[in-house]
Every structure is written in structure tokens, then in C-alpha cells.
Amino acid sequence: MNDQSSSEKLWGGRFTGDTNAFVEAFTASVNFDKRLYKHDIRGSIAHATMLTKVGVLSEDDCASIVSGLETIQSEIESDQFQWSIKLEDVHMNIEHRLTQLIGEVGKKLHTGRSRNDQVATDIRLYLRDELDLIIELCQRLQANLINKAEQEANTIMPGFTHLQVAQPITFGHHMLAWNEMLERDKARLRDCRKRVNQLPLGSAALAGTTFPIDREYSAELLGFDSICVNSLDAVSDRDFAVEFCAAASLMLVHMSRFSEEIILWASAQFDFIDLPDAYCTGSSIMPQKKNPDVPELVRGKTGRIIGHLMSLLTLIKSQPLAYNKDNQEDKEPLFDTVDNLKGCLFAFGDMVPEILPKRDSLYQAAKQGFSTATDLADYLVRKGLPFRDAHEVVGKAVKYGVDHQLDLSEMSLQTLQGYSDKISQDVFDVLTLEGSVAARNHPGGTAPEQVKKAVIAARDKLEL
Ligand code: ARG
């Protein structure tokens, strides 16, 4: 840790007393905001370059600032940089070191800038990079879901409503349902990126600066689409971080549904899938246990991420313009959301190819619960019965099946005809599971033919 008295602090000029040691530690953010170092340095290089272009800094000044900042980056990356909480945050740690390295010129870097527009710029640069990584991880998971859907396009399983067997569906169709959720989640992240990618730098503390800055040039250097048009808004709002956490929360809400199903499916009661050992752990007391830890943890992390969304919303609520120190509290929830969302996407991306559907067990389960009852009703409609009457007829046949432990497909033609004389031998074509899924052959339906088409369409969208 560097040793510094308050008069050596970068803002120490108007202070005479030392900062209370507890307050110093309490107000410092360097322990967590140091992860912004790369973006801080990138922003500073762009700022110095812009100041040089408009004639505020000389070419020589700029060259030594840039080389000093590059040295700092390598010091940080080789773990030789001494972070100090006395220097409060990442910005002042870096600026202080710059002056140590290059002397007086280092003090010119902060011309026409404030930590308020600096930090807002850093977070946006950071989040933009992370969004790109998160979108890639989402694509990877989607690609694996689509592959699984293709492999299991013909695999029959029960579809549920109210967690009761409803109608037979295909496993591939189920995989593609998850893919659709992720597709929308990804679109929300991409939309959020547009609003992240606007430049606050140049807003200075709150009102702009007296120097002849070129903000469009800074934006161009940093790859921002445009500048934030109002300086007060630019330094104070963190709505882009809220948007990100909202999109992340919804993505995790979807992944928690996904997790819940995997957990159920891997249980002895369902017995729908085999989850490889790599995604499970054992119990320290019950030797027989194989617990689906990865999906359970993803389900659990959903609560934490929704919590971060609540923190950020509440952080911003009622804050008067412009910057307030409250905003230092934006980072930990944001960073934790990024880290955990990436972890969940990565773990699921790895796990999905390893989910092994137990085809026989799925098939047997689909046969239970009269899953082709709607098919029989639709059959009777095609033979001229109004749907409500057909519903009534099938309900009676199901009652018979319950009493005699027979599936509809296991009843004799005579028995079925006892419920309607419109029934003939061809009824058995619609009562099979294969016939049932194949009949739902329209866009969005579960028929294997449709699943195969949907796989191609989903892959095209992924632009793989
Ligand atoms: N560490 C601060 C933050 O994260 C940087 C901005 C500080 N600005 C100030 N006026 N104290 O928000």
C-alpha cells in the first residue's frame, strides 16, 4: 500500500485535516473497481489523444502519457502494481502512478475531465465488452440446444400442462422451446447494448468543460455509436446497467425453468434423462446419491441476480441530478451479475450436449395418462361430431380406461365403438404416439418434420 497523507490525495488541496481512517476505507472502491483498469486506461488514452487533436496537449505530452499508461497496464497485468485504498478508486490509483512514472505531465491528463464522466465511460466500455462475451456464450448454448433438437427430433416424450401428462411431444421440440427463450433474451441484450454504447466522456463533472473538446472524436476512438447528449444525464444515470440486469434476470428466470425441468427429469420418479457425473455431486452421508448440482445452482443464482436488479433500481430511485456518490454502489451488483450470468451460460453450454434422453423411458411415460385423448376427439370431429360432443365421448372412454387400467390404444374396437358408432378400424392410426406427434404438422407444431425444419431455421438465425 502506498503511504499518503491527505494533502497528497489528488483532491487534497482544500483539505487540512487527514481523512478518518475508517472513512477512507469505507468510501474507497478500489478493491472492486480495479477490474475496470483496462477500460480506464483505454478511456484515458482516447481522452489524451483528443486533447492533443484540439491543441490542449502537445504531441510530446500525449506520447509520454500514452506510454506511461501502457506501462501501468503491464504493471497491473504482471501483478506489480501497488493498489492503495488511500487513493480511493481505480481512476486515482492509475493517475497517481502516471505522475510517479512520467512526472508533471501526468497531471495534465485530467484536463477537461472529471471522475464522474470517467467512471460512467469506464462502466460502459466494460459492459459493452462483457455483453459481447455474454452474447457469444448464449449463442454457444443455443447451438448446442439446436444440435440436441436435431438428434432428438423423433424422440417421443410426454408433454405436460399443470405437470400432468397432456399430449405426446418430441424431445427436439422441447429443446427448441428453450432455444426460443434464449433467442429473445439475446435480442434484449443486443438492444441494451445500443444504449450502453454511448459516450459520457466530455460531460466532465456535470456541466461540460471550458476546453474546446471534440466529443465525436473521442466517441470514434472508443468505438461508441454516439455521444450522450446531456451532460447532467450522462454522469448520473445508470439506467443502462438496470436494463442489463433486467435482461440478465429474465435470462436466468428462463434458465431456472430449464434447470427445474432437468432436475425433475434426472430424478428416479421421472427417469427421463441421464445427467453425466461431471454435472452432479454425491452426498457426504447418503452413498447412493447423485445430485444435479449444476442446474440446482443455476436455479439458485436466479434469486441473486434478481436481487441485483432490485439493488440497482433502488440505488437510482430518487437521486437528484447529477452525480452522487451513491453511484459507486452500482459496480458490485453489476459485476456479480456479469460473472454469474457468464458462469451459468458456460456451464449450461457444456452440459446440454451431455444430457442423454432415455428414449424408452420417455416413450413409456408418454403412453401413460391418456396422452392421445385429444387425438381421438379430433378424429371424431373429422367424422362429423361437434368438438364438444367428441370431448364428452372421449371423456367416457377415458373413464373406462381408468377403471380397467387400459390406454385408449389398448381398448378393442368394439369397446371404443360402444362410445361412438363413428369409430372404425382407422382410429388406431391416430391413437399411436407416432401418429399423434406426426399429425401436428404445421409451423410451431411438434411433428418431427416440423422440428427438423425449425432446426434449420434456428441455425440460420444463429448465423453459424
Ligand atoms: N469511485 C467513484 C464511483 O465509482 C468515481 C467517481 C467519483 N466522483 C466523485 N465526485 N467523488 O462512482
Side-chain angles (χ1 to χ4, degrees), residues 156-169:
I156 290 175
M157 67 178 286
F160 296 87
T161 61
H162 313 269
L163 206 58
Q164 311 280 325
V165 171
Q167 289 171 355
I169 57 168

Side-chain angles (χ1 to χ4, degrees), residues 196-215:
V196 168
N197 205 26
Q198 293 172 0
L199 176 79
L201 202 62
S203 303
L206 74 163
T209 170
T210 57
F211 295 96
I213 57 171
D214 183 346
R215 297 189 63 206

Side-chain angles (χ1 to χ4, degrees), residues 11 27-30 32-33 36 88-92 114-120 123 205 235 238 323-331:
W11 41 252
T27 54
S29 54
V30 64
F32 53 85
D33 68 16
L36 296 173
E88 204 177 312
D89 56 24
V90 61
H91 322 292
M92 293 201 289
S114 150
R115 274 185 298 152
N116 297 351
D117 59 342
Q118 187 179 356
V119 70
I123 310 170
V235 292
R238 298 289 183 265
Y323 175 85
N324 302 284
K325 183 77 167 178
D326 312 40
N327 283 340
Q328 184 163 288
E329 287 289 305
D330 62 355
K331 290 171 201 62

Side-chain angles (χ1 to χ4, degrees), residues 42-52 109-113 201:
R42 187 165 174 210
S44 289
I45 291 176
H47 182 63
T49 309
M50 181 278 292
L51 289 179
T52 309
L109 170 63
H110 213 50
T111 312
R113 179 178 84 167
L201 202 62

Side-chain angles (χ1 to χ4, degrees), residues 2 10 15 33 83 105 123 131 195-196 208-209 221 230 239 256 285 305 342 360-361 366 391 442 451:
N2 292 352
L10 297 182
F15 286 77
D33 68 16
W83 297 100
V105 180
I123 310 170
L131 272 166
R195 282 174 294 280
V196 168
T209 170
L221 290 174
N230 182 293
D239 55 355
S256 77
I285 177 168
I305 302 306
K342 277 162 66 183
D360 286 347
S361 169
H391 189 286
H442 53 77
V451 172

Side-chain angles (χ1 to χ4, degrees), residues 154-211:
N154 295 301
T155 306
I156 290 175
M157 67 178 286
F160 296 87
T161 61
H162 313 269
L163 206 58
Q164 311 280 325
V165 171
Q167 289 171 355
I169 57 168
T170 49
F171 198 89
H173 196 51
H174 202 117
M175 295 298 108
L176 290 179
W178 291 339
N179 177 59
E180 280 305 303
M181 297 178 215
L182 290 172
E183 185 64 28
R184 292 192 298 277
D185 293 330
K186 189 177 65 186
R188 272 183 279 273
L189 291 172
R190 285 187 168 145
D191 193 54
C192 163
R193 191 189 189 282
K194 293 182 203 155
R195 282 174 294 280
V196 168
N197 205 26
Q198 293 172 0
L199 176 79
L201 202 62
S203 303
L206 74 163
T209 170
T210 57
F211 295 96

